[in-house]
Amino acid sequence: MSNPLLATQGLPAFSQIRPEQIEPAIDQLLQDNRDTVARILSSLSTPDWDSLVAPLEEMNDRLSKAWSPVSHMNGVVNSDALREAYNACLPKLSQYWTEMGQNQEMFQAFQQLADSEAFAQLDEAQQKVVNNTLRDFRLSGIALQGEDKQRYAELQQRLSELTTRFSENVMDASDDWQKSIQDEADLAGLPPMALAAAKQLAEMKGKQGWLVTLDFPSYIATITYADNRELRKEIYTAFATRASDQGPGKGQWDNTAVMEEILTLRQALARLLGFDNYSEYSLATKMAETPQQVTDFLHDLAEKSLPVARRDYQQLCDFAREQHGIEQLEAWDLAYYSEKLKQARYAISEEQIRPYFPLPKVLSGLFAVAGKLFGIEISEVDSFDSWHKDARLFEVSRKGERIARFYLDLYAREKKRGGAWMDDCRVRRRLDDGALQLPVAYLVCNFNSPVGDAPALLTHNEVTTLFHEFGHGLHHMLTQIEYADVSGINGVAWDAVELPSQFLENWCYEPEALGLISGHYETGEPLPQDLLDKLLAARNFQSGMMMVRQIEFSLFDFRLHQEFVPGQTDVQQLLNEVRDQVAVIKPPAFNRFQHSFSHIFAGGYAAGYYSYKWAEVLSSDAFSRFEEEGVFSPEAGQDFRSYILEMGGSREPMDLFIAFRGREPNVDALLRHCGITEENA
């Protein structure tokens, strides 16, 4: 029987995937894999790469290619039937991976390979695969016996279900809230593009007037520009209380108990494996060696940033009071008056420069930047099997040879998970028949869709987001490694995985690159020099406040997973403690930020959110080489491609960074790029 999830060995056949087919197709694949494992182990005499590792890689890649489009569609075109099928498969996949991770015979075969003379004949990447696999066996409870082994399987299965429920609750709570507005005066202050988008959204829903929602483009436009303070308060309250016990939807999709159980089970999992807490367990696969290193790093950054952050906040309060008569800034006022202060100080706003960043120009410029830096060409594929009319497909080539492909899905819509992300669709690897499987990536954002005849117009922040995700994509697509487990972003320490993405953001501020990515959507006129000067001058506006906000999230996440005691730790109280230490802004008591903190409760950043700040140190220091040699230095670009992008997870990230930069990283470049200096404080 053919498997509908493997209809093509090239690209996924999204249109052929039916929710009712998913569970039986996954069941078939899991059984096939179990049979394959039994066959490999029964015929194994002396383990080597070809008899042990290669067939397991082939088997796992087959499963990955089947599950990838299902998981992707669940995030971007969610439906009740698809969600039900997806959730039905999660416990089966969790059980399968637990079985694989606790297969004693397989573990012993890998250990035998690692101890053999044949191991020395493997190349560096192959050795990394074997060593990583042995590490992962230990982290999967290979040493557990009897009831403990069963307990591990139960914990993993339940955590898989809970993290998915957390994400679903956030999506459902976000989709539920919307506000229909009949009087345009209530939306005074909103830029024309935001008004047109709200009008178009109402029309799509068959409503009169304008529609404001919690989709990020709608939310951020309203909270930043709406003169109506009550409207700002209303949408802030709805956004800040999603999936919680507070706000307009209180209790309906409440993640309180979900968070509590996730944290409880994570601590139990860590203890079962011999770690004191989940933060220690998390660091087993990261660059940082101890929890103390992480907290010291964050507190050091906070100490350097807080004086600048306090100055930023005081200036905002003074401005709101002196210029607008606001004696007490509320949470729903911060973005609004920050934007007014930015305009007053630099005579520039995101909306003012939006017309200069039409999506077609930004994309062509992004591809040109990547081409100059890394010697690649990118072209669009006109016809392909898609999940939505907004999705697009591109090919990446080098010297006329195709080396990768990627999908783009850039616009916000209902039943699509919020935020922006890159995920892998196919990984680069050498197949059994000698052919090379090329990498394929998904790149997803949530921008405003085009309004009327105009193309989608991006804010500079959105341009930066697109560059960020494309940096992740390049890490996946430009790899030269041919073993799946260390190809692309696979096997890369989590606190180094943000290096390429944050690195690429730097070109959004470089005049030479801005000339490529900007052009007025009506006239084609490049971003005028005066606006460019203002954009660059405003780059570090409130950078101190933004820095300590990220440190707040990072410390909260790390301490929560380090200190959590079931039934004793009050999550809100711990967050308040962190805010007392490092925050300059205290949200209102009803704020439930943690209830929609999907990065740590539904993503891969549990006890790892600090990775964003650590990778910023790496990316700023890496970019400083381009500042020294030229922002389009072919030598620096080739070295970054060779040492960082092409190597995947085949070597330790610190070794690769030193190979590129000539030394270990330091924090100075990050602080300089952010304008966090003693004189600025």
Side-chain angles (χ1 to χ4, degrees), residues 476-491:
H476 176 68
M477 294 186 289
L478 298 193
T479 186
Q480 289 295 295
I481 305 301
E482 298 182 358
Y483 315 113
D485 286 351
V486 290
S487 176
I489 62 171
N490 289 345

Side-chain angles (χ1 to χ4, degrees), residues 65-129:
K65 286 188 293 192
W67 184 242
S68 162
V70 175
S71 178
H72 178 68
M73 289 171 67
N74 188 59
V76 295
V77 283
N78 194 272
S79 68
D80 290 345
L82 183 56
R83 180 183 289 190
E84 184 179 344
Y86 177 85
N87 286 338
C89 292
L90 285 180
K92 298 180 179 188
L93 286 161
S94 176
Q95 181 183 352
Y96 167 80
W97 288 115
T98 298
E99 279 176 32
M100 293 299 112
Q102 295 186 345
N103 187 312
Q104 282 287 347
E105 204 177 341
M106 196 193 301
F107 168 67
Q108 287 162 7
F110 270 91
Q111 189 65 62
Q112 194 178 338
L113 172 57
D115 294 338
S116 71
E117 292 181 6
F119 184 76
Q121 307 306 313
L122 300 179
D123 64 37
E124 187 176 25
Q126 290 174 311
Q127 291 184 359
K128 191 75 159 60
V129 169

Side-chain angles (χ1 to χ4, degrees), residues 345-624:
R345 186 177 292 174
Y346 303 105
I348 192 170
S349 72
E350 286 280 355
E351 293 302 319
Q352 191 179 357
I353 60 177
R354 191 195 283 268
Y356 291 94
F357 291 112
L359 182 62
K361 180 66 175 177
V362 173
L363 272 184
S364 66
L366 168 59
F367 299 162
V369 168
K372 281 174 168 282
L373 288 171
F374 309 122
I376 57 175
E377 306 88 41
I378 298 170
S379 56
E380 185 158 13
V381 178
D382 292 328
S383 180
F384 65 99
D385 191 324
S386 178
W387 60 88
H388 192 273
K389 64 179 180 61
D390 290 340
R392 301 166 70 180
L393 178 65
F394 294 84
E395 288 187 348
V396 183
S397 302
R398 182 183 294 150
K399 297 178 181 176
E401 180 185 357
R402 188 178 76 204
I403 59 171
R405 287 178 285 200
F406 64 93
Y407 295 99
L408 275 183
D409 185 352
L410 297 181
Y411 305 130
R413 57 178 177 267
E414 272 193 302
K415 302 300 181 184
K416 179 181 177 184
R417 178 158 63 92
W421 67 91
M422 188 286 292
D423 205 354
D424 59 299
C425 171
R426 297 281 188 272
V427 68
R428 187 180 196 268
R429 58 179 292 265
R430 185 67 61 180
L431 303 178
D432 283 351
D433 61 6
L436 189 63
Q437 176 174 288
L438 298 180
V440 184
Y442 303 115
L443 299 174
V444 184
C445 295
N446 274 281
F447 303 145
N448 272 325
S449 55
V451 176
D453 296 330
L457 303 178
L458 306 187
T459 65
H460 188 260
N461 281 338
E462 289 171 335
V463 173
T464 306
T465 297
L466 182 58
F467 269 65
H468 179 102
E469 299 308 332
F470 196 70
H472 280 309
L474 290 173
H475 203 183
H476 176 68
M477 294 186 289
L478 298 193
T479 186
Q480 289 295 295
I481 305 301
E482 298 182 358
Y483 315 113
D485 286 351
V486 290
S487 176
I489 62 171
N490 289 345
V492 178
W494 201 259
D495 43 2
V497 83
E498 295 292 336
L499 164 57
S501 53
Q502 294 183 334
F503 167 80
L504 203 63
E505 291 180 25
N506 288 288
W507 276 264
C508 298
Y509 291 93
E510 287 301 319
E512 289 178 66
L514 282 163
L516 298 171
I517 62 177
S518 70
H520 196 282
Y521 78 101
E522 290 176 324
T523 65
E525 173 197 359
L527 192 68
Q529 188 63 45
D530 65 322
L531 281 182
L532 173 58
D533 292 342
K534 292 170 183 175
L535 174 67
L536 296 175
R539 178 178 185 177
N540 290 326
F541 177 65
Q542 294 185 340
S543 61
M545 284 167 60
M546 287 187 279
M547 178 70 84
V548 297
R549 184 169 177 266
Q550 287 294 303
I551 294 170
E552 171 193 323
F553 298 166
S554 302
L555 267 177
F556 165 64
D557 161 50
F558 203 77
R559 282 191 55 190
L560 186 63
H561 286 96
Q562 187 177 22
E563 301 171 19
F564 184 81
V565 178
Q568 295 182 34
T569 302
D570 184 318
V571 175
Q572 185 67 54
Q573 185 179 327
L574 192 147
L575 178 54
N576 293 342
E577 281 179 25
V578 171
R579 285 171 173 158
D580 288 341
Q581 283 183 310
V582 301
V584 295
I585 297 167
K586 304 293 171 62
F590 64 75
N591 180 289
R592 291 294 183 268
F593 154 76
Q594 64 272 27
H595 286 67
S596 58
F597 197 2
S598 296
H599 274 78
I600 71 167
F601 288 113
Y605 285 88
Y609 195 82
Y610 78 89
S611 301
Y612 280 104
K613 299 321 296 176
W614 174 241
E616 244 184 289
V617 171
L618 300 176
S619 63
S620 290
D621 204 354
F623 181 67
S624 65

